[in-house]
Amino acid sequence: RDRLVIGREDCCLRTFRAAGRVGATRLYDLPIPYHVSFRRAMQTEEAAYPGVSTQDLPADTFAADRVARKTAELAAASHVMVASDYVRRGLLEAGVPADRVTRIPYGCDAGRPYRPHA
C-alpha cells in the first residue's frame, strides 16, 4: 500500500515523525532557501550593508529551537522538493544527497490564455 505525506518547511516535524512510524514517504516542500544558506546570504549582505538586510527579519528567524526544528524536518524527510536551483544548491552544500532533492519550478503555460473562473 502506498503512503505519502507532503509537509511544508517550518511546520511538519510531528507529522513526518508519525508518518515515518507507519512507513510513509515524507515529501518536504522547501519553498525558500534552507536556513543555513539563508543565514549565509544574510551575513554576506549584512557585511556589505550593515543593518539593511536584517532590519525586517522576525526576531526568531535564526532562534536555536527553530533552526533545530528545521534541521530535524529535513532529516525526517524521505525526499525534498524545491522550486529553484538556488535552493537545491544550498541543500547540496549542506550535505543533502542529490538523489534526495528534486527541483520542480513554479510556473505556468505561457501559451495558454488567462481565463478567470466565473
Side-chain angles (χ1 to χ4, degrees):
R1 179 172 154 148
D2 293 332
R3 295 178 182 190
L4 171 67
V5 170
I6 301 172
R8 188 184 182 283
E9 180 244 6
D10 223 3
C11 63
C12 61
L13 182 57
R14 290 174 58 186
T15 300
F16 276 7
R17 286 180 175 161
R21 288 192 294 273
V22 298
T25 299
R26 285 111 31 227
L27 180 60
Y28 193 42
D29 180 12
L30 186 62
I32 62 173
Y34 186 52
H35 70 86
V36 174
S37 304
F38 183 60
R39 177 177 263 173
R40 187 177 327 119
M42 290 295 98
Q43 289 170 336
T44 300
E45 290 294 315
E46 183 64 20
Y49 308 102
V52 172
S53 296
T54 58
Q55 67 186 2
D56 293 328
L57 288 178
D60 70 340
T61 298
F62 298 114
D65 61 331
R66 188 171 189 193
V67 167
R69 184 182 63 249
K70 288 173 182 269
T71 301
E73 286 174 344
L74 181 61
S78 306
H79 201 82
V80 185
M81 177 177 58
V82 301
S84 72
D85 285 329
Y86 177 76
V87 175
R88 185 175 191 279
R89 276 192 311 273
L91 288 169
L92 300 180
E93 290 169 4
V96 177
D99 64 347
R100 283 190 59 215
V101 182
T102 299
R103 183 181 67 88
I104 302 173
Y106 299 132
C108 64
D109 180 354
R112 185 175 172 193
Y114 173 71
R115 291 189 181 96
H117 296 123

